[in-house]
Amino acid sequence: MTENKKENGKNDAGKEAVLPLKSDFSEWFNSILDIGQIMDVRYPVKGLYVWHPFGFGIRKRVYGIIRDVMDNSGHEETLFPLLIPETEFMKEADHIKGFEDEVFWVTHGGVTPLDVRLALRPTSETAIYPMYQLWIRSHADLPLKLYQVVNTFRHETKHTRPLIRLREITSFKEAHTVHATWEDAKNQVDEAVGLYADIYRKLSVPVLISKRPDWDKFPGGDYTIALDTIMPDGKTLQIGTVHHLGTNFAKTYGIMYENAAGEQEYANQTCYGISERSIASLISVHGDDKGLVLPPAVAPVQAVVIPVLFKETAESVMTACENVVKTLKKAGIRVEMDAGDMRPGAKYYKWELKGSCLRIEIGPRDLEKKSAVLVRRDKGEKQFVSLDTILETVNAELKQMADDLYAAAEEKMKAMIAPCETAEEVKTQLGKGVAVLSWCGCKECGMKIEEETGGSILGTPDRPAEVKKGQCAGCGNEADQIIRVSKMY
Ligand code: 5CA
Ligand code: ZN
């Protein structure tokens, strides 16, 4: 196994922890969750994991951003029950088909069997919409835009993975909106896609936006737009979905409103969700061989101050460091002092692993020049900065780092996408990333392409074509669409 030969603290199992190189992505991901203190995977139920406080600190900030974006775009936060009666859950035929294999059921109260079994929500349409039926009366009640951040349960049969495929999704942000017309709901879908793109821009994570093929849309919906990112191993991760539900659920749950002419009409709905995959994506896209690289907006530690201590000058150096910490803290920067007696090299390693955005070192020689050494986590280069303007420098570097992380990640992602024509070309490309093909739009050709290449169809891009339209990769006929194909997580 390829490894970094640097020592570190212990991992969750109490063993000496060594981070594998990121080129060994799957090993790297599992290790970083452990020695980076994000999740403990030893909980004795498959697909359920425990947040370490450090990981939870990232989660808190990511969900702070998500909540801000929702609150600032006319959504209101709410909270619905976890348990859904079977009688409500079983009303929408397509929805049942899509989820019934994945539902956990509560069957007993104590030792007494329940009259009506209760589902642990796999998502909350069937909890929320019976209440919407009671709440919505007239067009004046519309649009209604609510969201909640909750845990949901899905008995996933595919390989479970922390942050990526969970049986208890701990951080499911789901929005459910109601509108008068199909057009209004479509506009909401477009707005939601924009909001999600904005959230991911704030996390410096580049996304591909694709309309999923009809056979892969949300069970019970009209169509689905997905946001995917490309992971370091070339596989894509779906990190958000927005669904147009049409009037399908409204008809099932009787959600009607009186229009301006006094007639009863079925409402049009949308729903959209993001999970802790958002955190999986930012860890995976930005991290490196040394550990976490965290966007400043979500890093629990944005700057660490390390005094370089020698007997004679220890006091003055400590005072200078304390002043820097005080100045930064006062300005709202998450800063830590590390005056412990580890070797400097061990300290650097520790804070690099933890993804501290900036490292500030002050030694006696720096102090003489009223300066400090500043190292940005993503660049790794030393620069000498004046102590007089340290706050301005830190603010500027943090801001620049967020932009640079995005630019670097976007460039990397673009290099992982390539136009392909033959099945052989696609197969080779799927080991590296996403293949883009011409497609006539029919399901048979879609299935054939998936079968021949071993990839999955992400769908059609929302943006101008990345390859010229040509012959369908399935049937060879004139094709008016292009599709993205990838290996999906
Ligand atoms: N009700 C709709 C919108 S909230 C819904 O449930 N959509 S979903 O099934 O597509 O889920 C929303 C997002 O949650 C997905 O795009 C995916 O990013 C994430 N997700 C789905 N299943 C899991 C899982 N088992 N573990 C982690 N994240 C998941
Ligand atoms: Zn075709």
Side-chain angles (χ1 to χ4, degrees):
M1 194 176 71
T2 44
E3 316 181 315
N4 275 341
K5 291 280 177 228
K6 281 181 186 163
E7 89 267 18
N8 176 51
K10 305 253 192 286
N11 65 6
D12 280 334
K15 297 216 183 87
E16 206 54 38
V18 181
L19 185 66
L21 294 176
K22 201 181 172 195
S23 50
D24 196 356
F25 176 65
S26 178
E27 288 293 316
W28 180 91
F29 184 74
N30 290 333
S31 289
I32 198 74
L33 297 184
D34 178 0
I35 62 181
Q37 292 289 287
I38 311 283
M39 311 290 303
D40 195 323
V41 300
R42 295 173 301 167
Y43 192 76
V45 180
K46 185 178 157 65
L48 277 55
Y49 309 95
V50 182
W51 287 96
H52 278 303
F54 183 80
F56 204 75
I58 300 173
R59 180 202 186 267
K60 191 166 70 180
R61 294 181 177 94
V62 170
Y63 280 76
I65 289 174
I66 294 174
R67 281 191 164 95
D68 279 349
V69 168
M70 299 308 288
D71 294 345
N72 292 331
S73 53
H75 297 77
E76 288 181 293
E77 189 166 359
T78 181
L79 193 54
F80 276 73
L82 163 66
L83 299 173
I84 304 172
E86 184 170 17
T87 41
E88 294 300 335
F89 189 80
M90 291 303 195
K91 278 184 178 163
E92 215 290 331
D94 290 325
H95 192 70
I96 299 167
K97 239 192 281 156
F99 281 104
E100 104 187 308
D101 290 346
E102 294 184 2
V103 175
F104 284 96
W105 290 103
V106 177
T107 58
H108 286 71
V111 293
T112 316
L114 298 175
D115 292 338
V116 178
R117 295 194 297 166
L118 300 168
L120 296 187
R121 60 183 163 219
T123 166
S124 301
E125 285 72 11
T126 61
I128 295 177
Y129 300 168
M131 299 308 294
Y132 279 4
Q133 190 270 328
L134 299 173
W135 293 347
I136 291 163
R137 286 283 157 264
S138 100
H139 61 94
D141 299 326
L142 305 177
L144 179 64
K145 293 161 66 171
L146 303 185
Y147 76 97
Q148 60 180 4
V149 180
V150 294
N151 55 349
T152 57
F153 296 82
R154 295 182 181 186
H155 192 265
E156 295 277 0
T157 45
K158 279 206 216 164
H159 183 61
T160 53
R161 282 173 206 274
L163 297 183
I164 289 179
R165 180 162 281 103
L166 306 144
R167 285 187 173 175
E168 181 184 359
I169 309 172
T170 69
S171 315
F172 197 68
K173 193 288 293 170
E174 49 177 328
H176 295 268
T177 72
V178 191
H179 309 267
T181 66
W182 198 92
E183 272 305 311
D184 291 346
K186 182 196 174 293
N187 291 338
Q188 187 60 39
V189 166
D190 295 344
E191 180 193 301
V193 169
L195 296 175
Y196 278 11
D198 183 31
I199 288 167
Y200 279 108
R201 180 61 186 80
K202 290 186 156 82
L203 303 178
S204 302
V205 172
V207 294
L208 295 171
I209 300 170
S210 311
K211 184 172 182 201
R212 288 281 187 262
D214 210 46
W215 63 86
D216 198 22
K217 66 185 182 189
F218 184 68
D222 274 4
Y223 69 89
T224 292
I225 311 275
L227 289 84
D228 299 276
T229 197
I230 309 182
M231 298 289 261
D233 58 2
K235 283 159 74 175
T236 56
L237 182 66
Q238 175 180 300
I239 51 177
T241 30
V242 183
H243 314 291
H244 194 309
L245 302 177
T247 54
N248 306 329
F249 283 90
K251 284 179 176 154
T252 305
Y253 289 94
I255 305 171
M256 301 188 84
Y257 68 95
E258 192 179 277
N259 68 18
E263 302 148 350
Q264 289 290 312
E265 286 200 56
Y266 283 113
N268 281 269
Q269 293 177 271
T270 82
C271 67
Y272 29 105
I274 276 189
S275 75
E276 53 257 58
R277 282 186 183 183
S278 53
I279 297 164
S281 71
L282 75 90
I283 288 175
S284 305
V285 166
H286 304 309
D288 65 17
D289 290 344
K290 294 175 176 170
L292 294 167
V293 178
L294 297 171
V298 302
V301 180
Q302 294 172 310
V304 60
V305 177
I306 300 181
V308 184
L309 298 174
F310 300 97
K311 258 198 204 120
E312 314 270 279
T313 48
E315 212 182 300
S316 55
V317 167
M318 272 307 286
T319 307
C321 287
E322 278 160 7
N323 285 338
V324 169
V325 169
K326 226 182 279 168
T327 305
L328 298 185
K329 213 171 239 169
K330 212 169 131 201
I333 288 160
R334 296 186 287 278
V335 57
E336 295 256 344
M337 165 92 99
D338 188 350
D341 40 41
M342 266 197 272
R343 288 182 302 104
K347 283 186 187 174
Y348 300 165
Y349 182 59
K350 170 180 151 195
W351 291 106
E352 281 168 352
L353 180 72
K354 290 256 176 199
S356 170
C357 305
L358 305 175
R359 185 174 87 220
I360 298 165
E361 304 157 28
I362 304 176
R365 286 218 205 124
D366 305 308
L367 199 52
E368 271 169 29
K369 287 178 271 174
K370 292 193 81 183
S371 73
V373 174
L374 185 140
V375 181
R376 223 170 80 183
R377 176 64 183 85
D378 57 328
K379 298 274 189 221
E381 292 154 13
K382 290 188 175 194
Q383 49 170 312
F384 296 92
V385 301
S386 160
L387 283 176
D388 293 334
T389 51
I390 190 115
L391 176 61
E392 290 77 3
T393 308
V394 163
N395 275 327
E397 288 294 338
L398 290 177
K399 189 172 178 296
Q400 191 59 44
M401 180 172 166
D403 289 340
D404 289 353
L405 283 182
Y406 182 77
E410 194 186 33
E411 197 183 310
K412 235 185 274 170
M413 186 176 85
K414 278 191 179 147
M416 294 169 101
I417 305 170
C420 295
E421 281 175 14
T422 66
E424 281 313 309
E425 276 174 22
V426 175
K427 275 195 223 167
T428 312
Q429 174 58 20
L430 291 184
K432 305 178 209 159
V434 172
V436 183
L437 306 174
S438 297
W439 179 43
C440 69
C442 83
K443 184 174 178 180
E444 287 70 37
C445 287
M447 293 294 177
K448 188 175 162 206
I449 291 167
E450 289 193 341
E451 207 162 288
E452 284 181 0
T453 63
S456 302
I457 292 181
L458 287 179
T460 48
D462 67 324
R463 304 228 174 93
E466 283 141 52
V467 289
K468 275 203 305 244
K469 289 164 191 165
Q471 264 95 47
C472 171
C475 61
N477 290 337
E478 201 62 36
D480 61 352
Q481 302 184 40
I482 59 166
I483 41 163
R484 297 176 171 135
V485 180
S486 74
K487 294 268 192 192
M488 285 166 96
Y489 263 96

